[in-house]
Amino acid sequence: MPANLSPAFLAARDRLNRAKTDEERLDALQEMLATIPKHKGTEKMQADIRKRIAKLKEKAEQQRRSGKGGGPAYHVPREGAAQVALVGAPNAGKSALLVALTRAQPEVAPYPMSTLRPTPGMMEFEDVQIQLVDLPPITRDYTEGWVYSVVRLADAVALCVDLENPRGLAEAEEVMDLLAEHHTRLTPGPSRQVDWRVVERKAVVLGLKADLGGERVAAFRAWAEGRFPAIAVSAATGEGLDELRTFIFRHSGVVRVYTKKPGQPPDLTRPYTIREGATVLDVVEQIHKEFVSRLRYVRLWGSGRFDGQHAPQDHVVQDKDIVEIHLS
Ligand SMILES: Nc1nc2c(ncn2[C@@H]2O[C@H](COP(=O)(O)OP(=O)(O)OP(=O)(O)O)[C@@H](O)[C@H]2O)c(=O)[nH]1
Ligand SMILES: [Mg+2]
């Protein structure tokens, strides 16, 4: 290892190691080349960096020429209360579902591999919005790495199963296997980082094209039983779509909390949204960091037994709880 590597070089190298997309990799490599000390001892390293830059540039150029135009958007900034990634095998009906639930207009096509880029859409449910992200299908041969990155960064995952397809369940299993190979496990529990590499993502399974499902609908329910919350819907007939909105919100990993001022009715116009499992204290902190040190007590309505009583700071809030914060 050559000496005299500058802090800037080391930071860029660290960025390269953590990079999730080719764009980030290229960026980090170019910075490494710019900051590497230019002497005999680093010649081999310089050559290696140049080679990697050339490779990445060539790959980007190929993608541009093959008509993927403008390069895929790698990252989908979260909007709304939670971000839920729609994942599944080719032709499962993911894009049609996004069209049915949001105002987004991804391409829907009667052939597999029609979606090439992530397409977000906002799904309204009562007074909250959940961001759904339509993605290219997950297959062993064709899925680019950034698709897995988007799944890892989402709050929750909706695994889509094609009920028209006799192989629908087998393909869904394969999608789960591929996610696992990319260190992403689906779980009915909360999303969490397991270790430095592995993440678990809270998941539901959606049986799509229920209108064409026949006896596969029952097989789908049996398959999901005891593993993931499941629902069967049809984007074509609208069957189950209203329940689906509720279902997706309930399993998105967030809850709503309303606030009220002493002596006034609660403000039900705009909920705060916070991760499932959050405590009274977490809510107070989210509303205003400074409130934590000034907190005297919180009165709570909702959560079953609470009806305006003082709630312990570690009390876990439920959807639609109302809090009244008393400060010193
Ligand atoms: N009958 C019926 N057809 C559907 C339904 N949902 C989708 N389709 C059809 O299934 C085909 C595939 O739908 P897409 O939404 O493009 O599937 P996808 O999962 O986005 O496909 P990729 O992007 O290639 O992974 C299209 O021909 C849709 O019209 C449904 O609920 N009922
Ligand atoms: Mg699609």
Side-chain angles (χ1 to χ4, degrees), residues 94-95 107 114-115 134-135 137:
K94 302 175 292 297
S95 299
E107 189 186 348
S114 52
T115 301
D134 182 27
L135 289 169

Side-chain angles (χ1 to χ4, degrees), residues 35-266:
T35 54
I36 192 167
K38 308 286 188 302
H39 57 69
K40 195 131 189 85
T42 65
E43 264 171 16
K44 207 181 150 297
M45 247 166 118
Q46 290 184 49
D48 182 56
I49 294 169
R50 284 207 180 83
K51 220 190 303 176
R52 291 183 70 175
I53 290 176
K55 258 200 185 146
L56 282 173
K57 281 190 171 164
E58 193 185 336
K59 187 173 164 198
E61 176 63 15
Q62 267 171 8
Q63 281 176 351
R64 201 183 57 73
R65 272 198 304 252
S66 69
K68 289 180 185 169
Y74 291 114
H75 174 62
V76 185
R78 185 210 279 115
E79 286 176 35
Q83 185 183 68
V84 179
L86 301 179
V87 307
N91 212 45
K94 302 175 292 297
S95 299
L97 185 70
L98 190 76
V99 169
L101 292 175
T102 74
R103 289 195 194 108
Q105 291 294 334
E107 189 186 348
V108 174
Y111 49 82
M113 316 295 295
S114 52
T115 301
L116 301 173
R117 277 182 274 259
T119 309
M122 300 308 290
M123 181 193 80
E124 287 176 18
F125 169 71
E126 296 180 349
D127 51 6
V128 282
Q129 297 212 327
I130 302 288
Q131 184 186 43
L132 305 181
V133 184
D134 182 27
L135 289 169
I138 291 185
T139 70
R140 183 166 294 285
D141 297 330
Y142 297 107
T143 305
E144 292 176 42
W146 65 264
V147 176
Y148 295 102
S149 309
V150 171
V151 178
R152 287 173 72 85
L153 291 169
D155 298 307
V157 169
L159 174 63
C160 298
V161 179
D162 183 353
L163 296 179
E164 180 191 9
N165 181 351
R167 295 204 64 252
L169 290 175
E171 289 183 357
E173 293 279 0
E174 165 136 331
V175 168
M176 278 197 279
D177 288 346
L178 288 166
L179 287 169
E181 284 174 30
H182 290 81
H183 317 295
T184 305
R185 300 200 292 239
L186 302 187
T187 157
S191 292
R192 68 186 183 114
Q193 186 86 36
V194 176
D195 57 33
W196 67 275
R197 197 142 85 156
V198 177
V199 299
E200 285 184 348
R201 284 292 162 261
K202 187 177 178 68
V204 294
V205 290
L206 312 181
L208 305 184
K209 310 188 200 175
D211 53 304
L212 304 176
E215 73 275 17
R216 284 183 295 274
V217 176
F220 162 75
R221 289 190 207 286
W223 170 80
E225 178 77 44
R227 296 175 80 186
F228 300 101
I231 188 171
V233 303
S234 166
T237 66
E239 173 198 340
L241 288 185
D242 282 340
E243 297 96 300
L244 180 59
R245 285 174 194 272
T246 314
F247 179 84
I248 289 179
F249 172 71
R250 295 256 173 271
H251 298 290
S252 65
V254 295
V255 295
R256 291 167 285 186
V257 178
Y258 302 91
T259 54
K260 82 182 272 308
K261 294 206 169 78
Q264 290 181 21

